[in-house]
Amino acid sequence: MTTTKGPPGGQTDPPAADHPAAQADGVSRCTQDPLLGLAVQRPARGVCVVTVDGELDAFTAPLLATYLREQLATTPTHLILDLQSLSFLGSTWLTCLLEARELAQQTTGSQLHLAGLVTRAVARPLQIT
């Protein structure tokens, strides 16, 4: 697993027009829960950026886990998890992260990267862990 401090950059390829969450700005959004926002961008071939917004805790971590499994099923070379927009990061997200890392490495051959580790809400729980 690789960690980076800044959010990923680059151009976004628009999602397929028939994708139910396709947006005009090239970002697919998953809004299953009012406490957790999930969006995916594909800025380059083989790169999938999942942006997590809101609160990641025992209640919302399973939603993220499901979403990450769905994104890994597309077998990206790099799956980037951008945590910069999180306002709360509970300890239970760690299990979700470890499961995603294992799935990425053993099943799809993808590399999991963390980005957006600059806010206190994200940096402090990671330091403690």
Side-chain angles (χ1 to χ4, degrees), residues 39-52:
V40 64
Q41 292 179 296
R42 299 190 183 276
R45 177 170 289 203
V47 177
C48 177
V49 180
V50 175
T51 302
V52 186

Side-chain angles (χ1 to χ4, degrees), residues 42-126:
R42 299 190 183 276
R45 177 170 289 203
V47 177
C48 177
V49 180
V50 175
T51 302
V52 186
D53 181 19
E55 300 177 8
L56 194 50
D57 57 20
F59 181 70
T60 57
L63 298 173
L64 176 62
T66 299
Y67 197 66
L68 291 177
R69 280 192 300 273
E70 290 172 0
Q71 298 312 311
L72 285 167
T74 68
T75 62
T77 305
H78 300 278
L79 176 64
I80 301 169
L81 190 56
D82 185 354
L83 305 173
Q84 185 170 356
S85 297
L86 282 176
S87 58
F88 178 78
L89 183 60
S91 61
T92 55
W93 83 281
L94 191 57
T95 300
C96 171
L97 178 67
L98 293 174
E99 288 172 358
R101 179 178 182 253
E102 184 175 318
L103 180 63
Q105 289 181 338
Q106 294 181 358
T107 306
T108 67
S110 302
Q111 291 184 348
L112 181 64
H113 306 270
L114 299 180
L117 308 178
V118 295
T119 64
R120 181 168 173 76
V122 173
R124 185 66 179 144
L126 287 174

